[in-house]
């Protein structure tokens, strides 16, 4: 069964997220300044996309200012316009209603960029009347921080093919070429999921139309290109049954799905091969499971423990260290068993 992005669900979630995320700020402020935009949300990518979209609106305003009575190609006029824009950029003041729309758009684009970069680039081309010039794409690069390697490769591919713009006809082939050249894996979604969930839990159904068949791949697989309606960089299967609370079904967040899917791998027999780094050998599912179930959600404790374990040259030294420092662990549990299996491969 094919998994399709729930574009309407993403828009709806973005609006709900924006209402909640901006609620406290606008209780204390009537307007938001440029400096405040850059820090209004812990997910920095959202703030940067707000600035990107704000600049896009400025460009529209600048076009509307043009008059047939003046020579806008004159260098003096260009310099004056640049100075004017610089002054405006230092005096940003946006009301809640106007900022809300910018923030919703930025949230939607951030979700696409994190969970399906392929769809993100389709989205920005569609928003630009089905074409996007190479100059505009290059301008956007400074606002993209998540999976930045993709946009850099896309610009380079356009240069290689002498393509001056992105459009519905050349975008698929260009993206195919880009994904074929990508060496590093997609960026981890773990921290982004946590930040979104702090505001409003991100449900599987918010992102995908087929929840039961959903699979989010985040293991850095080289098979990153998918159909434009599919998730690109995910590793979670969302086919586990929904948990219940009494007689009521509790909706599952993506964090729940990652944790539950991790458990299904515990009974599997892992390939017996030595690994050079414990951390690098872990899938995102395992990291979620170990941090949440063995380290009480404390990522610092998890990282410090891995660093200590890496320093040992014998398996029994590593296991003694764990038993001394984590005497409350249930060493017969599935989670600890899987952790120990991973640890054993290191030695």
């Amino acid at each position: 069964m094919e998994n399709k992005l729930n574009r309407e669900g993403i828009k709806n979630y973005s609006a709900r997220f924006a209402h909640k995320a901006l609620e406290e700020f606008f209780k204390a402020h009537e307007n938001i300044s440029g400096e405040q935009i850059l820090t209004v949300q812990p997910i920095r990518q959202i703030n940067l996309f707000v600035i990107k979209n704000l600049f896009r609106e400025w460009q529209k305003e600048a076009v509307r200012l043009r008059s047939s009575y003046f020579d806008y190609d004159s260098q003096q006029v260009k310099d004056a316009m640049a100075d004017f824009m610089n002054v405006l950029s230092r005096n940003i003041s946006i009301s809640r209603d106007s900022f809300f729309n910018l923030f919703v758009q930025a949230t939607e684009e951030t979700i696409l960029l994190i969970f399906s970069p392929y769809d993100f680039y389709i989205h920005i081309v569609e928003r630009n009347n089905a074409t996007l010039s190479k100059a505009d794409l290059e301008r956007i690069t400074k606002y993209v921080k998540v999976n930045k390697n993709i946009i850099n490769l896309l610009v380079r591919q356009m240069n290689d093919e002498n393509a001056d713009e992105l459009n519905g006809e050349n975008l698929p082939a260009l993206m195919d070429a880009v994904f074929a050249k990508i060496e590093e894996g997609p960026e981890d979604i773990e921290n982004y999921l946590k930040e979104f969930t702090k505001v409003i839990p991100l449900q599987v159904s918010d992102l995908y139309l087929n929840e039961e068949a959903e699979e989010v791949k985040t293991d850095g697989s080289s098979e990153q290109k998918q159909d434009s309606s599919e998730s690109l960089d995910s590793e979670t299967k969302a086919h586990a049954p929904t948990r219940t609370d009494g007689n009521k079904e509790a909706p599952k967040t993506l964090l729940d799905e990652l944790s539950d899917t991790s458990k299904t791998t515990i009974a599997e027999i892992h390939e017996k091969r030595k690994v050079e780094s414990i951390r690098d050998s872990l899938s995102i599912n395992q990291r979620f499971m170990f941090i949440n179930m063995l380290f009480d959600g404390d990522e610092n404790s998890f990282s410090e423990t891995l660093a200590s374990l890496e320093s040992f040259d014998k398996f029994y030294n590593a296991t003694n260290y764990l038993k001394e420092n984590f005497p409350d662990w249930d060493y017969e549990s599935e989670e600890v068993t899987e952790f120990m299996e991973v640890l054993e491969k290191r030695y």
Side-chain angles (χ1 to χ4, degrees):
M1 186 181 298
E2 197 175 60
N3 306 308
K4 296 181 181 294
L5 280 182
N6 184 356
R7 293 296 295 272
E8 194 62 33
I10 292 172
K11 288 181 181 179
N12 291 337
Y13 174 84
S14 298
R16 289 184 285 116
F17 180 89
H19 275 295
K20 189 69 174 177
L22 299 177
E23 185 177 22
E24 289 301 318
F25 179 87
F26 281 102
K27 281 182 180 179
H29 304 84
E30 291 186 2
N31 297 289
I32 187 168
S33 69
E35 289 185 1
Q36 290 169 327
I37 290 174
L38 290 173
T39 58
V40 70
Q41 226 301 308
I43 302 175
R44 184 165 175 254
Q45 185 62 78
I46 294 178
N47 303 332
L48 290 172
F49 276 167
V50 169
I51 297 294
K52 172 182 74 70
N53 294 334
L54 178 60
F55 183 77
R56 184 170 177 267
E57 293 303 314
W58 285 356
Q59 287 181 310
K60 291 180 181 178
E61 291 290 338
V63 170
R64 284 194 285 266
L65 282 174
R66 285 179 172 268
S67 167
S68 59
Y69 298 113
F70 305 101
D71 181 9
Y72 282 87
D73 292 326
S74 164
Q75 191 59 49
Q76 283 184 311
V77 173
K78 288 181 178 179
D79 292 342
M81 289 294 291
D83 290 340
F84 176 58
M85 294 299 286
N86 287 333
V87 171
L88 283 178
S89 68
R90 294 191 294 271
N91 291 272
I92 295 172
S93 181
I94 310 176
S95 68
R96 174 175 183 151
D97 289 344
S98 297
F99 185 73
F100 175 79
N101 293 328
L102 289 170
F103 194 87
V104 170
Q105 290 177 7
T107 302
E108 180 184 355
E109 290 179 343
T110 297
I111 290 174
L112 289 176
L113 183 61
I114 292 170
F115 293 96
S116 185
Y118 196 97
D119 289 89
F120 168 76
Y121 293 101
I122 290 175
H123 169 79
I124 61 175
V125 169
E126 289 175 346
R127 280 197 62 200
N128 207 61
N129 298 319
T131 62
L132 187 70
S133 71
K134 186 175 69 174
D136 284 337
L137 184 66
E138 290 173 336
R139 176 183 61 79
I140 291 172
T141 58
K142 65 182 178 181
Y143 300 104
V144 173
K145 299 303 177 185
V146 178
N147 293 316
K148 192 175 181 69
N149 58 333
I150 296 177
I151 193 169
N152 288 336
L153 283 172
L154 183 55
V155 171
R156 194 180 310 166
Q157 190 67 31
M158 292 180 71
N159 288 331
D160 291 344
E161 299 187 18
N162 296 316
D164 295 325
E165 68 175 22
L166 288 176
N167 54 55
E169 293 183 2
N170 68 1
L171 180 59
L174 285 167
M175 294 300 288
D176 284 351
V178 165
F179 286 122
K181 293 179 179 179
I182 291 177
E183 296 180 355
E184 62 266 49
E187 192 163 337
D188 260 358
I189 64 171
E190 176 180 343
N191 290 333
Y192 298 110
L193 279 176
K194 288 181 179 178
E195 291 299 331
F196 277 117
T197 299
K198 284 179 184 177
V199 180
I200 292 182
L202 187 54
Q203 313 292 342
V204 177
S205 58
D206 291 325
L207 292 181
Y208 303 103
L209 292 174
N210 286 322
E211 178 178 348
E212 290 185 354
E214 174 46 30
E215 179 174 346
V216 182
K217 295 186 67 177
T218 55
D219 60 352
S221 168
S222 60
E223 296 181 6
Q224 295 186 37
K225 185 191 72 63
Q226 298 184 19
D227 183 85
S228 63
S229 62
E230 296 183 71
S231 167
L232 174 70
D233 45 344
S234 312
E235 184 194 24
T236 300
K237 294 180 180 178
H239 59 269
T242 303
R243 294 179 303 185
T244 58
D245 180 12
N247 295 323
K248 298 181 179 179
E249 290 190 350
K252 304 195 77 170
T253 69
L254 284 178
L255 285 171
D256 292 332
E257 294 294 343
L258 285 170
S259 178
D260 287 352
T261 305
S262 297
K263 294 177 185 177
T264 68
T265 69
I266 292 173
E268 296 176 358
I269 299 176
H270 297 282
E271 182 182 356
K272 297 299 181 180
R273 65 184 186 278
K274 184 176 180 179
V275 297
E276 297 300 322
S277 167
I278 300 171
R279 176 180 288 277
D280 292 345
S281 71
L282 298 177
S283 70
I284 190 172
N285 287 343
Q286 289 173 315
R287 289 197 295 272
F288 262 92
M289 178 176 66
F290 295 149
I291 291 172
N292 292 330
M293 306 189 75
L294 300 182
F295 294 89
D296 296 323
D298 189 339
E299 190 166 356
N300 289 332
S301 176
F302 171 72
S303 297
E304 291 170 0
T305 300
L306 290 191
S308 297
L309 293 173
E310 297 283 11
S311 68
F312 297 113
D313 58 358
K314 299 293 183 182
F315 179 63
Y316 68 84
N317 290 334
T319 56
N320 287 340
Y321 169 85
L322 288 175
K323 290 177 180 178
E324 289 176 5
N325 288 274
F326 301 97
D328 295 332
W329 278 9
D330 178 4
Y331 284 83
E332 300 299 321
S333 69
E334 292 180 327
E335 296 79 21
V336 175
T337 298
E338 181 161 349
F339 187 84
M340 299 302 285
E341 288 176 352
V342 172
L343 182 61
E344 186 176 7
K345 293 178 186 178
R346 173 67 177 79
Y347 306 99

